[in-house]
Amino acid sequence: KDGLLSEEEFNLWNRLYRLGDSDTVKGVALPRSHFLSLQEDRVAQEPTTGIHQLSLSEWSVWQDHPLPTHQVEHSDRCHHFISIMQMIEGMRHEEDECSYELKIKPFLQMEDVY
Amino acid sequence: VIEAAVRGVSQAQAEDLDVVDVDQLEKVLPQL
Amino acid sequence: QYSHRQRLKAAVHYTVGCLCQEVELDKQVHLSKQTIAAISEVTFRQCENFAKDLEMFARHAKRSTITTDDVKLLSRRSNSLLKYITEKNEEITQ
């Protein structure tokens, strides 16, 4: 009723889901992101023992197409990422000439740039 | 744009390269 | 409509190329044409997402014009970016 776990629910969570000192992996953390191009004061982060640092790039091989979903669709951001990964794959073995550049250059008009 | 380029450069430097190619950009893309 | 979109894309690509050149000179590292193309495409697509968000922010505030307040909202998730955008806005206003 107060939005917190009941005693029964707490015991269930504690037993089945809670990570603690007895677990090898005591927690997970997403690497903190910061801007390289803005002058930011950053505190160097020491990886804590037992805290598993999640990787954003480990599964990129699988991220070149939308995987099946259930009840919700992929977000715009997700589709954006996938399309760039596909684009990169398409350009990976290009040498010298860039197909994207060749395709888009005919449309360049300097008044649009200004 | 600047952030993407700078991150790409950072990745290339970490790999001891003096060229940023799509391989390097791909690695920084998720966080970007 | 296709042609207009491609013109905008070409303008973005050109500008991205110029900005990347600045970074190249600053860092003394070369960026391949394919890298510049990928950054350009990321930017263009992100602009499309920004445009949708900006429209929604303005509409939420019952305005028919997108203002700098809407742009600041876009950068809300990063303190450093928000600070940067706010400072730039103040410079422009002055």
Side-chain angles (χ1 to χ4, degrees):
Chain A
K1 289 202 191 95
D2 59 2
L4 304 173
L5 296 177
S6 66
E7 195 177 323
E8 198 184 310
E9 287 166 339
F10 180 88
N11 291 335
L12 196 76
W13 168 71
N14 199 34
R15 189 165 51 88
L16 295 178
Y17 307 123
R18 185 180 197 167
L19 290 170
D21 291 330
S22 55
D23 294 291
T24 326
V25 175
K26 301 183 203 317
V28 290
L30 205 60
R32 290 280 302 275
S33 188
H34 67 286
F35 279 91
L36 292 182
S37 60
L38 299 178
Q39 303 302 331
E40 266 191 28
D41 296 324
R42 272 201 77 222
V43 180
Q45 276 184 308
E46 291 299 317
T48 326
T49 336
I51 304 291
H52 177 72
Q53 296 286 324
L54 297 174
S55 167
L56 287 175
S57 53
E58 195 169 328
W59 308 102
S60 15
V61 175
W62 282 268
Q63 288 169 342
D64 63 352
H65 64 282
L67 293 173
T69 57
H70 175 63
Q71 296 208 347
V72 295
E73 290 177 16
H74 290 292
S75 66
D76 285 345
R77 194 191 297 259
C78 180
H79 284 300
H80 179 175
F81 180 80
I82 289 167
S83 71
I84 302 297
M85 293 295 273
Q86 286 174 342
M87 181 194 179
I88 286 175
E89 190 53 43
M91 290 192 299
R92 201 186 296 279
H93 303 292
E94 282 181 6
E95 285 175 15
D96 302 321
E97 283 310 319
C98 174
S99 55
Y100 183 90
E101 188 181 322
L102 289 173
K103 213 173 66 157
I104 209 71
K105 222 164 186 173
F107 291 93
L108 177 65
Q109 300 201 20
M110 288 313 288
E111 60 253 39
D112 296 331
V113 174
Y114 300 139
Chain B
V1 172
I2 302 281
E3 184 67 19
V6 166
R7 285 187 188 218
V9 165
S10 189
Q11 181 63 33
Q13 287 170 337
E15 294 179 39
D16 215 10
L17 301 166
D18 52 14
V19 177
V20 184
D21 211 336
V22 286
D23 295 326
Q24 286 71 52
L25 188 70
E26 195 177 40
K27 288 173 190 165
V28 302
L29 200 67
Q31 191 134 89
L32 183 74
Chain C
Q1 212 173 22
Y2 170 79
S3 178
H4 179 67
R5 196 166 184 272
Q6 296 304 96
R7 274 178 59 171
L8 285 176
K9 238 190 198 188
V12 167
H13 183 241
Y14 175 87
T15 312
V16 165
C18 295
L19 289 168
C20 285
Q21 210 172 37
E22 284 181 27
V23 173
E24 280 181 318
L25 290 170
D26 185 44
K27 304 283 180 184
Q28 293 291 297
V29 177
H30 177 66
L31 273 68
S32 72
K33 285 186 183 181
Q34 287 75 19
T35 302
I36 292 169
I39 294 175
S40 180
E41 185 67 14
V42 166
T43 306
F44 192 80
R45 282 178 170 269
Q46 194 60 26
C47 283
E48 288 181 311
N49 287 341
F50 285 156
K52 284 186 214 165
D53 284 347
L54 289 167
E55 273 187 359
M56 282 186 69
F57 293 154
R59 199 172 301 136
H60 182 68
K62 298 188 175 28
R63 280 185 273 104
S64 55
T65 310
I66 290 165
T67 66
T68 51
D69 283 341
D70 300 316
V71 179
K72 279 190 230 168
L73 258 185
L74 267 186
S75 59
R76 68 199 179 286
R77 298 210 185 277
S78 160
N79 287 333
S80 55
L81 184 62
L82 177 58
K83 185 164 164 268
Y84 182 83
I85 295 281
T86 306
E87 282 171 4
K88 284 291 164 193
N89 184 40
E90 280 160 17
E91 273 175 45
I92 292 166
T93 315
Q94 280 167 16

